[in-house]
Amino acid sequence: MSSITESTSEAVSHRRWVKVSHWIVTVSFLLLAFSGFEILMVHPRLYWGEVGNELTPALLELPISRNHQRDTWEESKPFFDSDESPVSAARTSDELMFNQNGWGRSLHFLAAWLLIVPGVIYLLIGVFSGHFRNHIWPKRKELTAASVWRDVKDHLRMQIAPATGGPHYGLLQKLAYMMVIFVALPLAVVTGLTMSPAITAAYPFLLKVFGGYQSARTIHFFTSLTLELFLFMHLAMIIKTGFTQQIRYMTLGK
Amino acid sequence: MKRKDIITRRKALAVSASALGALLLPGCSKTSPPTYGSLLRMGDALTYNAQRTLLPGQSLAKEYSFGEISSFPATGTINPADSSKEYYSEEYERLKSGLFANWRLSVEGSVTNAGQYSLQDLQRFASRTQITRHTCEEGWTAIGEWTGVPLSSVLEHAGILPGARFINFYSYDGWEDSIDMLDAFHPQTILAYGMNGKALSIPHGAPVRLRVEKQIGYKSMKYLQRIVVTDEFVDPGDTGWAWYVGI
């Protein structure tokens, strides 16, 4: 690969594998965000540790569906003969709860395949072609306090460098892409896998790493939120630097 | 999960599915479940096949200490003896009033010894007690101690015939579902008659429920009535509800 000439040339456009994987991951991410929100609506309470349910306190309760603060339980029955005994209770009413998890979960896991398979291929090509080293990883000379500060100031003043049509990224842009490629998306995948009973049976260290199923679920949620914030920033920057032209660069390459 | 809705939709779907199935089945290969038509379920099938290929076969789900037992909401069907409900079962009501002394678990299909097992029969097998996490598809979890007989003991007693590939389960609340042999012979897959040191309560599936610790909660069927060993699997039946939920 002629990655060295690529990074010095001004008129280089995105490589085909970058364009293809960019759009596959985009589609996958939108489906995951949509179906993930749908799954969360069924039980919009977040917890920490291994256990969390409607009979235990929540870390955070999101008012996003009619299942929010559902409290129609019959009298709690203690399991053991002690004051602090865990309890059991059944729902009493026939209230209609929101649950579309049948297709919701299936769509989520189908879209996850669309993220994981092209994602791994993207990472492999990215490493071996020098793409990450040349375009995503900041150069040592870029990483000075002065240049970081300059880029932050430019962004605050909304003075964004015009689109180059290829992988010539600004410093903050590189840092943002690094966070998404190497931290947020892998974390979303791994915390997702930690919620799978079959996978944690095979790899129990996953539950240890995240401190339990519910912690992994909570981290999964906040990682997703971070990625959605990134998406909004990414879109804002695309619009600021010429939406149509940018979409053309990432789709047709010109 | 709101079973009342699901059963209604399931009925509608069962008709269309069987009509569709009549068209599709002759062309279907029997090598790998789930043999679904829709794109969503192709994703489920991909997950099932990937897990069966990549994951070690019989690794155990995490077991917890006694002190980690937690509060446990009972969702889904809460009492099949409630005549005001759509899932009401007259037979279940009769068994319940007799304290389940007349309850029998029927084991039939591709077995050498088809038979009926009373609660005492099941308790005569060596029991297994495990403190495990119930993971609901809704997103909540709870830890409970389950005591019961490994499903494998009952299946070995009944004598599975070669060629059988699935264990189908039928419950008093009208639910039906199935698991494959790998899950059926998993050491933590048990027919549970005890929870937290007591007899299983009605909200948690009395007198006997299934525990499939390597899948999501809804595969652990409550109010067991009948087990059929077969080479065809039954499907929970609702749109998109995955047959395999190891993820």
Side-chain angles (χ1 to χ4, degrees):
Chain A
M1 293 256 172
S2 58
S3 40
I4 294 152
T5 47
E6 215 176 82
S7 63
T8 49
S9 152
E10 276 304 309
V12 66
S13 58
H14 293 294
R15 295 216 156 245
R16 184 178 294 154
W17 65 270
V18 171
K19 290 181 282 190
V20 170
S21 55
H22 174 270
W23 287 119
I24 293 175
V25 169
T26 305
V27 169
S28 159
F29 180 73
L30 292 175
L31 291 174
L32 282 164
F34 169 71
S35 55
F37 189 81
E38 185 282 312
I39 293 167
L40 186 69
M41 278 177 80
V42 179
H43 192 81
R45 286 160 60 97
L46 297 169
Y47 314 88
W48 202 254
E50 285 281 16
V51 167
N53 57 59
E54 283 164 291
L55 302 176
T56 69
L59 190 69
L60 184 66
E61 206 155 332
L62 304 162
I64 56 168
S65 84
R66 68 179 106 130
N67 302 345
H68 173 60
Q69 289 186 334
R70 206 159 23 134
D71 55 1
T72 50
W73 296 91
E74 71 178 20
E75 202 185 341
S76 298
K77 292 192 186 87
F79 284 126
F80 309 115
D81 192 17
S82 76
D83 289 343
E84 312 234 306
S85 170
V87 296
S88 172
R91 290 202 182 111
T92 50
S93 75
D94 275 339
E95 92 215 88
L96 280 174
M97 72 176 272
F98 173 86
N99 191 342
Q100 293 293 310
N101 262 0
W103 62 262
R105 288 174 57 89
S106 290
L107 179 61
H108 203 67
F109 302 135
L110 180 66
W113 278 108
L114 215 54
L115 176 69
I116 289 170
V117 176
V120 168
I121 296 171
Y122 168 85
L123 286 175
L124 289 174
I125 304 180
V127 168
F128 290 109
S129 69
H131 176 67
F132 293 152
R133 194 176 59 244
N134 296 321
H135 304 305
I136 305 288
W137 212 260
K139 301 279 183 296
R140 189 167 290 234
K141 61 176 193 265
E142 285 178 293
L143 268 182
T144 62
S147 62
V148 173
W149 177 235
R150 196 182 322 116
D151 209 17
V152 170
K153 267 196 310 198
D154 287 351
H155 276 79
L156 290 175
R157 290 201 206 103
M158 293 297 278
Q159 287 172 341
I160 318 296
T164 60
H168 292 281
Y169 304 133
L171 183 58
L172 287 185
Q173 197 177 5
K174 283 183 179 180
L175 292 175
Y177 291 175
M178 274 177 66
M179 286 301 287
V180 168
I181 297 166
F182 303 115
V183 181
L185 285 173
L187 187 62
V189 170
V190 177
T191 50
L193 293 175
T194 306
M195 285 187 261
S196 155
I199 286 169
T200 52
Y203 308 110
F205 72 91
L206 287 169
L207 286 171
K208 282 207 185 94
V209 168
F210 297 108
Y213 172 96
Q214 292 294 349
S215 314
R217 179 171 174 262
T218 300
I219 297 168
H220 195 71
F221 169 75
F222 282 106
T223 308
S224 156
L225 208 59
T226 308
L227 284 165
E228 279 128 34
L229 286 174
F230 165 80
L231 178 66
F232 286 123
M233 278 306 288
H234 193 55
L235 270 174
M237 292 297 162
I238 291 165
I239 291 165
K240 171 82 182 160
T241 53
F243 185 79
T244 317
Q245 191 55 50
Q246 289 279 40
I247 297 290
R248 281 178 67 91
Y249 284 146
M250 192 39 95
T251 314
L252 305 169
K254 59 188 175 184
Chain B
M1 178 182 353
K2 190 74 190 170
R3 295 220 164 156
K4 196 174 167 180
D5 289 355
I6 288 160
I7 289 167
T8 317
R9 273 178 286 161
R10 187 203 304 171
K11 277 177 190 157
L13 260 128
V15 177
S16 50
S18 47
L20 194 66
L23 293 172
L24 292 177
L25 268 177
C28 275
S29 141
K30 280 185 181 176
T31 50
S32 85
T35 47
Y36 302 130
S38 79
L39 189 64
L40 291 179
R41 291 199 154 191
M42 279 165 62
D44 294 337
L46 186 59
T47 300
Y48 171 78
N49 288 308
Q51 287 201 5
R52 284 290 179 267
T53 310
L54 299 173
L55 295 182
Q58 298 294 35
S59 46
L60 298 182
K62 183 176 177 183
E63 295 197 12
Y64 297 81
S65 68
F66 189 82
E68 287 173 291
I69 291 174
S70 75
S71 293
F72 209 127
T75 58
T77 307
I78 58 170
N79 185 1
D82 182 345
S83 59
S84 69
K85 298 290 198 292
E86 215 175 290
Y87 48 72
Y88 167 68
S89 158
E90 208 182 315
E91 197 186 343
Y92 187 84
E93 190 183 21
R94 206 165 45 239
L95 293 169
K96 185 197 153 204
S97 56
L99 301 171
F100 300 110
N102 295 322
W103 176 87
R104 297 287 182 278
L105 179 68
S106 168
V107 179
E108 53 200 82
S110 303
V111 290
T112 49
N113 289 313
Q116 311 246 317
Y117 296 81
S118 70
L119 208 46
Q120 287 72 27
D121 293 336
L122 294 182
Q123 283 161 349
R124 249 177 253 130
F125 286 100
S127 72
R128 180 185 164 95
T129 294
Q130 59 199 29
I131 302 175
T132 49
R133 189 187 66 233
H134 182 91
T135 306
C136 182
E137 52 85 17
E138 292 175 2
W140 57 264
T141 52
I143 293 174
E145 183 198 72
W146 305 99
T147 302
V149 46
L151 177 61
S152 60
S153 307
V154 176
L155 293 176
E156 276 159 12
H157 188 260
I160 295 190
L161 291 169
R165 300 177 57 226
F166 302 102
I167 312 294
N168 294 344
F169 298 90
Y170 299 85
S171 89
Y172 281 103
D173 66 348
W175 197 250
E176 54 187 56
D177 205 345
S178 71
I179 56 178
D180 69 359
M181 288 297 172
L182 193 78
D183 276 340
F185 280 84
H186 187 268
Q188 286 169 322
T189 298
I190 63 172
L191 301 174
Y193 44 73
M195 181 187 186
N196 296 336
K198 296 176 186 166
L200 198 59
S201 66
I202 288 177
H204 290 287
V208 174
R209 78 176 295 176
L210 181 66
R211 293 293 315 163
V212 186
E213 305 298 355
K214 279 174 65 178
Q215 294 204 43
I216 297 295
Y218 71 81
K219 294 299 278 191
S220 289
M221 189 192 279
K222 295 170 173 173
Y223 320 109
L224 285 181
Q225 178 179 25
R226 200 156 62 93
I227 293 179
V228 180
V229 182
T230 168
D231 58 353
E232 306 259 331
F233 70 98
V234 293
D235 181 321
D238 206 347
T239 321
W241 282 88
W243 176 83
Y244 181 75
V245 281
I247 194 150

